[in-house]
Amino acid sequence: MENPCLTFVICSILDSEDFLLIDVIHEIAHGWFGNAVTNASWEEMWLSEGLATYAQRRITTLVYGATFTCLETTFRLEALNRQIRILGQDTPFSRLQAKLDTGVNPSNLMNLFTYEKGFCFVHYLSQLCGDQDNFDAFLRDYIEKFKFHSVVAHDLLESYLSFFPHLKGESTACSEGLEFERWLNAPGAPLTQPDLSQGSIFTSPVEALSELWMAEPLDIEAACNFANITDWQTFQTVLFLDKLLDQSPLRPEVMLQLSLCYSAALATMNTEIRIRWLQIVVRNNFQPDLPRVRHFLLCQTSRMYTIPLYEDLSAGPLKSCALEIYYQTHGRLHPNLRKTIQQILAQGGSVVQPDTALPVLSTELCTQGGSSLRDVNVSA
C-alpha cells in the first residue's frame, strides 16, 4: 500500500525478489497516478491502478528489459482470463466504469480488471497516438494539469484528445473509431492486449513443460528432466504452477510424479510459489503433502495467502481440516479476515461461531516442521 513518501510492504513479499521488485515499483508509480492525481470515484479505480500499472511496466522495460516485462504481463493477463472464466464474460465487475450500486462491497471493485484491463486501455491509448515518447509527454502534461486534484475518466480522455487533436472527434464518448465507450463500459476481456512475444524466451519453456506433464501417456523422464525450475525466474514458476492449477484435479499418476520431481524444491522457495503448490496439493487431495498445507496456514496471517487455501479446502473433502486450522489460529487473524474465512467455512452448512474459546497456537509452532493432519470434525 502506497502512501506519500512511504510504502507498506507485507513481509511475505520480501522473500520474492521478482514480486518485491514489481510491488515496490508499482507503489512508487502511485506517487503520480493515485496520489498526485486521484480518481474522484471508487467506480473508476482504473484511473489510479491502470495508469500505475502502465507506468510500472514502462519502468521495468527500461531498467530490466522487455522480456522481463512481457513475462510479468503474461502472468497477470492469464490470471485476468482465469478470473473471467470464473466470474463469466458479463460480470459487472469487469467494467472499467463499474457501478457501486446499493449492496455492492467497494472492495469488489479492487480486482484484476481494475489493474489489467485498465492497463490494456492505457496501452491502447499509447498505441493510438502513434509514438510512445509522445504518450510519455502527454502523461507528464496530464500530471501537471491535474496534480493535487481528483479526476474522472472524462478528464483524462478530454485531456488526451486535446493533446492529440488529430484524434479528436465530436466528443470523448463517441469519438469515431476510438471505442472509448466500449473500453469503459463493456464487460469482459480487454478489447485489445499488447504484443507480448518478446517474452517468449521465458514463456515458451513454461508452455512446453506444461504440455509434457499433461501429455497422455506421461513420459516421466522427459517431464522431470526438461527444465530445472530452481533456475527459473519466479514469474516463470508461478505461471507453470497456475497452469497445473487450471488443470486440477490431475491424474493421480501425474500428481505423484510432480511431487516426487518438485515438492522438495518448491518447499524452499518463496511464498508466492509455495501457496500455488499447496493449492495444487489441496485440489488433488494429495495426502503426502497435506501436512505442509496445515503448517503454512498455521504460520500465515495474510489475507492473500490464506483465503485461496481456505476456499480450496472448503470446496472438497478437506473441509474438516480447514475448520480445525481456523479454530487454532483465529485469535491471531485480523477481524476482517476472520469474517471472510467464517463465510467460506459456513458454506454448505458448517456452523462457525467466532467467539468460541479455543486454544490459540503459539507462534513457536511456526518454526517447527509441519504437524500431521488429523481428520477432526469441529463444530461450535
Side-chain angles (χ1 to χ4, degrees), residues 121 124-126 128-129 134-135 138-139 141-142 145-146 153-181 184:
F121 184 30
Y124 164 79
L125 294 176
S126 74
L128 195 63
C129 71
N134 286 341
F135 189 68
F138 158 70
L139 291 178
D141 181 77
Y142 166 75
K145 181 177 180 179
F146 292 108
H154 179 82
D155 298 321
L156 169 70
L157 296 177
E158 274 296 310
S159 180
Y160 174 80
L161 291 174
S162 296
F163 199 88
F164 301 108
H166 64 284
L167 297 175
K168 193 162 186 176
E170 294 181 2
S171 70
T172 300
C174 58
S175 298
E176 184 177 357
L178 300 187
E179 299 191 292
F180 291 167
E181 181 66 25
L184 293 174

Side-chain angles (χ1 to χ4, degrees), residues 80-81 84 89 94 113 117 183 186-193:
L80 178 68
N81 292 329
I84 292 173
Q89 285 281 347
S94 64
F113 298 101
K117 190 173 182 179
W183 270 105
L191 300 183
T192 63
Q193 297 187 13

Side-chain angles (χ1 to χ4, degrees), residues 6 67 80 84 106 130 133 139-140 145 150 152-153 167 169 199 218 251 256 312 314 341 358:
L6 180 67
T67 54
L80 178 68
I84 292 173
D133 291 337
L139 291 178
R140 287 191 289 271
K145 181 177 180 179
S150 297
V152 295
L167 297 175
L218 173 64
R251 304 194 311 275
L256 174 62
D312 286 341
S314 299
I341 296 174
L358 288 167

Side-chain angles (χ1 to χ4, degrees), residues 37-320:
V37 181
T38 306
N39 49 291
S41 166
W42 295 115
E43 296 179 336
E44 293 188 320
M45 280 297 294
W46 73 272
L47 287 167
S48 172
E49 299 299 351
L51 281 159
T53 301
Y54 177 84
Q56 160 211 309
R57 287 174 180 156
R58 287 283 288 115
I59 293 169
T60 58
T61 298
L62 289 171
V63 178
Y64 300 101
T67 54
F68 174 84
T69 300
C70 287
L71 169 63
E72 183 265 335
T73 307
T74 298
F75 164 69
R76 304 291 189 188
L77 289 180
E78 289 209 3
L80 178 68
N81 292 329
R82 186 175 304 109
Q83 195 164 78
I84 292 173
R85 290 196 299 271
I86 293 171
L87 299 177
Q89 285 281 347
D90 297 327
T91 175
F93 297 127
S94 64
R95 295 185 174 95
L96 290 182
Q97 286 186 327
K99 302 303 178 187
L100 194 55
D101 297 325
T102 302
V104 174
N105 188 333
S107 66
N108 290 335
L109 305 183
M110 288 292 293
N111 53 45
L112 278 173
F113 298 101
T114 299
Y115 290 77
E116 297 306 331
K117 190 173 182 179
F119 158 75
C120 287
F121 184 30
V122 177
H123 181 269
Y124 164 79
L125 294 176
S126 74
Q127 298 297 297
L128 195 63
C129 71
D131 185 278
Q132 193 170 67
D133 291 337
N134 286 341
F135 189 68
D136 288 349
F138 158 70
L139 291 178
R140 287 191 289 271
D141 181 77
Y142 166 75
I143 292 294
E144 186 63 30
K145 181 177 180 179
F146 292 108
K147 66 181 178 182
F148 311 131
H149 290 82
S150 297
V151 299
V152 295
H154 179 82
D155 298 321
L156 169 70
L157 296 177
E158 274 296 310
S159 180
Y160 174 80
L161 291 174
S162 296
F163 199 88
F164 301 108
H166 64 284
L167 297 175
K168 193 162 186 176
E170 294 181 2
S171 70
T172 300
C174 58
S175 298
E176 184 177 357
L178 300 187
E179 299 191 292
F180 291 167
E181 181 66 25
R182 283 187 62 203
W183 270 105
L184 293 174
N185 289 302
L191 300 183
T192 63
Q193 297 187 13
D195 178 10
L196 302 176
S197 58
Q198 290 187 72
S200 62
I201 189 173
F202 292 133
T203 58
S204 292
V206 174
E207 294 284 350
L209 184 59
S210 301
E211 291 174 4
L212 283 172
W213 281 105
M214 293 302 105
E216 292 189 53
L218 173 64
D219 187 334
I220 298 171
E221 184 176 357
C224 281
N225 295 327
F226 177 81
N228 182 2
I229 64 172
T230 60
D231 294 333
W232 277 5
Q233 297 199 38
T234 291
F235 284 114
Q236 287 180 285
T237 307
V238 294
L239 186 61
F240 169 61
L241 295 176
D242 277 349
K243 290 181 180 298
L244 296 179
L245 266 173
D246 288 342
Q247 297 296 323
S248 291
L250 305 167
R251 304 194 311 275
E253 176 197 18
V254 172
M255 189 61 211
L256 174 62
Q257 293 302 327
L258 279 168
S259 179
L260 293 173
C261 190
Y262 301 129
S263 181
L266 293 172
T268 67
M269 296 184 186
N270 62 61
T271 311
E272 291 286 343
I273 291 174
R274 293 204 316 275
I275 188 176
R276 284 169 170 80
W277 172 248
L278 296 178
Q279 283 186 272
I280 294 170
V281 167
V282 171
R283 291 189 190 182
N284 288 273
N285 193 14
F286 186 68
Q287 297 290 323
D289 276 11
L290 285 176
R292 291 179 178 174
V293 176
R294 186 177 193 273
H295 178 67
F296 185 88
L297 286 175
L298 293 182
C299 300
Q300 282 292 335
T301 59
S302 164
R303 186 181 191 89
M304 64 193 294
Y305 297 128
T306 53
I307 293 300
L309 278 171
Y310 272 106
E311 287 178 334
D312 286 341
L313 285 166
S314 299
L318 298 171
K319 189 169 187 177
S320 62

